[in-house]
Amino acid sequence: MAHSSKIFCCFSFLFSTLSIIPLSHQLEQHPLDSLTPIEFIRVQAIVNQSHPTTTNDITFQYIGLNEPDKQALISWLQNHRTTPITAPPPRQAFVIARINHQTHELVVDLLYDNIVSDHIHHGFGYPLLTFEEQNGASQLVFNHAPFLAALNKRGLKVEEVICETFAIGWFGETKQNGRVVKVMCYYLDGTVNLYMRPIEAITVTVDLEAMKITHFRDRLVVPVPKAAGTDYRESEQKEPFGPELKGITVVQPDGPSFIIDGSRVRWANWDFHLSFDARVGPVVSLASIYDTEKQEFRRVMYRGFVSELFVPYMDLTEEWYYRTFFDAGEYGYGLCAVPLEPLRDCPANAVYMGAYVAAQNGMPIEMPNVFCIFERNAGDVMWRHTETMIPPDLITEVRPDMSLVVRMVSTVGNYDYINDWEFKQIGSIKVTVGLTGLLEVRGSKYTHKDQIDEEVYGTLLAENTLGAYHDHFITYHLDLDVDGESNSFVKSKLQTVKVTDQTSPRKSYWKVVSETAKTESDAKIKLGSDSAELLVVNPNKRTKMGNFVGYRLIPGSVASPLMTDDDYPQIRAAFTEYNVWVTPYNKSEKWAGGIYTDQSRGDDTLATWTSRNRRIENKDIVLWYTLGFHHVPYQEDFPLMPTISTGFELRPANFFEYNPVLKVKGPSNVRWPNCSVSSSGLK
């Protein structure tokens, strides 16, 4: 095996440039559709032509849709229903490019093929890392004599070495370091599980602009963990095996119940738009639900997506302390999307969709099967009741819980994140993220826990293998428009009341005390201490009973940062200090870690935006929710980690006049293959 380099996002497919699609398709686009291959090509040409005298190649760090003004889009949607020939809002691209070693923010008009604005970024931080520059930096070590000598000293074969790049973070430096990364390497030689075989204590620093090694240090020799028992491939497993289960077939004899029209998805009572972004992955927009009582679609969410992922490791050793990753802002959560495996990642009834991103030179790259969409019937119950109080009748009514799932998997280095947006007939949007893949482990001299007499910042999982303590914080941008843009955020505490008079033999009860947040500071919440109902309501719309229509946030597992507020990674990730934030809608405020996250200093984050303490009552507001994991590794996480999941739910709260699925019928043509039913059960 020849030596190799490895970019941070793992891909199992080849990039390929797409043929240009017909212009007629462009005319049928929705204003929120992802950029098409022809649009990437046009953007590249426009930007290159606008800087003909550049002395360096222009590199495109990010190209994505510059979403239209919200009010203009809503107005167009309303008019488009009655007048389909209404011109859509201007179609534009937002570009971050490196030109002559400067970072340019450009807005490109795709109708008139010109540049609307070209701004040079002079502040702190740098844009997304590209695949090509990460790969180039990783390759440099194989021609660096001190590195080759370090491998030889350890008795390692260079052809079995694979390397990847790491963002360096910021740790109080007053002067900018320039666009640099650090390179860490791993050893194969008998396994494909390279992350379980780190080559420790070697530090290589690469200047990305000059593409050269600027620093090398070989601090000490640490044993490389053994390859035995680390390979996770099914074909490489040896007996004994676990019990084999019989097959389960997912069959929809009449085909799927959902319709995909371009990027628009319609299923049951839901209608939404699905697009893809290189930085954040799936973007769910214009989610509306049909109200059978009102005989109309009602707005729920204008736009929802993963805004940032913060993954700080707790290891303070020289080669580890800087590993405090911002997976979306540094590496691109969407860029790291991988093709989904039919029958493994998604069930047999799934439909797949691809996406496109830009290469470093601006040309389009195909990303096949990054989304799967499928209907789920997991045997759960949507609602039921058995009535025994009307003898001799026994009344039983049950409705199975059917839902629609949109899934994407992003493999950011060693971790695989399984992202689900699940739409339920009761009106809920359930968002789930599952963590699996491989731990980031540190090589160690220790082979048994009893040998450890110092702080090692992790768990000994196998001989010479320490699983580092770390966190995962995932922040979601949720622009809810509950029955319209003008919404308010209401926190309803459940307050215990003692009974002090003789009105009841009871001694206590609880009541609901509601408070409407007037400013951003009123809305910040750290979950876990008090019981609370968290609602986004439309104060201008009421039910027949007089309640404000709304949606409530039902959190999943709660985790908050344990680092101190003055720790540099936490300054950069101050948006994780609260689980819930609410801001007034601002088109430019969509990435919680700021536009330029690589080596950022925390001066452009969700936390700094909210310091203005703007008014949010009866406004167009955005709900931000951060879920988290504190990950203490255990031996069951070795050599790979079974999936652990959490999430949250957006659920109707007085949005409907009554149970919206009262009149929903169960699926027709339910079949039991290879079995029959008798009074005593299944045969």
Side-chain angles (χ1 to χ4, degrees), residues 581-595:
W581 309 72
V582 180
T583 63
Y585 171 80
N586 185 322
K587 178 183 170 182
S588 67
E589 296 177 0
K590 57 183 179 180
W591 298 328
I595 297 178

Side-chain angles (χ1 to χ4, degrees), residues 301-322:
M301 184 173 70
Y302 178 72
R303 212 150 163 82
F305 51 85
V306 170
S307 182
E308 189 55 85
L309 292 88
F310 177 49
V311 187
Y313 283 81
M314 299 298 119
D315 194 319
L316 304 188
T317 54
E318 183 176 325
E319 297 79 26
W320 276 75
Y321 74 89
Y322 57 86

Side-chain angles (χ1 to χ4, degrees), residues 327-549:
D327 287 346
E330 292 172 339
Y331 300 99
Y333 199 53
L335 288 175
C336 295
V338 294
L340 297 170
E341 293 287 329
L343 303 181
R344 300 281 180 134
D345 284 315
C346 309
N349 61 330
V351 173
Y352 296 84
M353 295 174 65
Y356 316 101
V357 295
Q360 181 173 287
N361 65 1
M363 292 297 288
I365 293 173
E366 180 182 13
M367 302 179 71
N369 293 358
V370 293
F371 293 142
C372 72
I373 302 174
F374 59 92
E375 290 168 280
R376 171 183 282 161
N377 182 354
D380 296 325
V381 174
M382 181 166 62
W383 67 262
R384 80 171 320 281
H385 180 62
T386 297
E387 184 53 70
T388 62
M389 297 295 290
I390 313 176
D393 297 327
L394 181 68
I395 302 172
T396 297
E397 287 287 324
V398 185
R399 300 293 184 272
D401 190 15
M402 308 284 288
S403 62
L404 183 76
V405 178
V406 176
R407 174 169 296 165
M408 185 196 85
V409 173
S410 183
T411 301
V412 191
N414 53 303
Y415 263 102
D416 293 59
Y417 295 90
I418 305 165
N419 306 269
D420 283 0
W421 289 81
E422 183 175 5
F423 296 83
K424 304 176 81 68
Q425 289 175 281
I426 61 171
S428 288
I429 303 174
K430 190 174 181 181
V431 182
T432 307
V433 60
L435 278 65
T436 181
L438 309 168
L439 292 174
E440 190 82 41
V441 304
R442 175 161 64 91
S444 169
K445 64 182 180 181
Y446 299 112
T447 59
H448 193 278
K449 182 179 179 180
D450 291 350
Q451 300 169 346
I452 301 174
D453 58 359
E454 60 177 331
E455 177 61 76
V456 293
Y457 313 110
T459 304
L460 190 67
L461 303 175
E463 290 185 3
N464 309 118
T465 307
L466 288 165
Y469 303 144
H470 60 283
D471 298 318
H472 300 264
F473 294 106
I474 303 143
T475 300
Y476 287 83
H477 174 285
L478 305 165
D479 182 1
L480 299 184
D481 283 356
V482 180
D483 248 0
E485 300 98 273
S486 296
N487 288 177
S488 295
F489 180 67
V490 177
K491 179 181 179 181
S492 297
K493 292 184 178 181
L494 308 184
Q495 186 178 94
T496 300
V497 180
K498 295 192 68 174
V499 178
T500 58
D501 54 27
Q502 303 302 315
T503 56
S504 171
R506 293 277 297 275
K507 299 294 185 182
S508 65
Y509 66 102
W510 60 259
K511 66 178 182 179
V512 179
V513 179
S514 298
E515 177 186 356
T516 300
K518 298 185 181 302
T519 65
E520 291 174 278
S521 63
D522 296 337
K524 296 186 295 186
I525 295 173
K526 290 184 179 181
L527 296 172
S529 55
D530 298 323
S531 297
E533 296 281 300
L534 307 175
L535 294 92
V536 173
V537 304
N538 188 325
N540 310 294
K541 302 283 184 69
R542 293 176 181 258
T543 64
K544 294 175 181 177
M545 297 298 102
N547 296 306
F548 293 128
V549 302

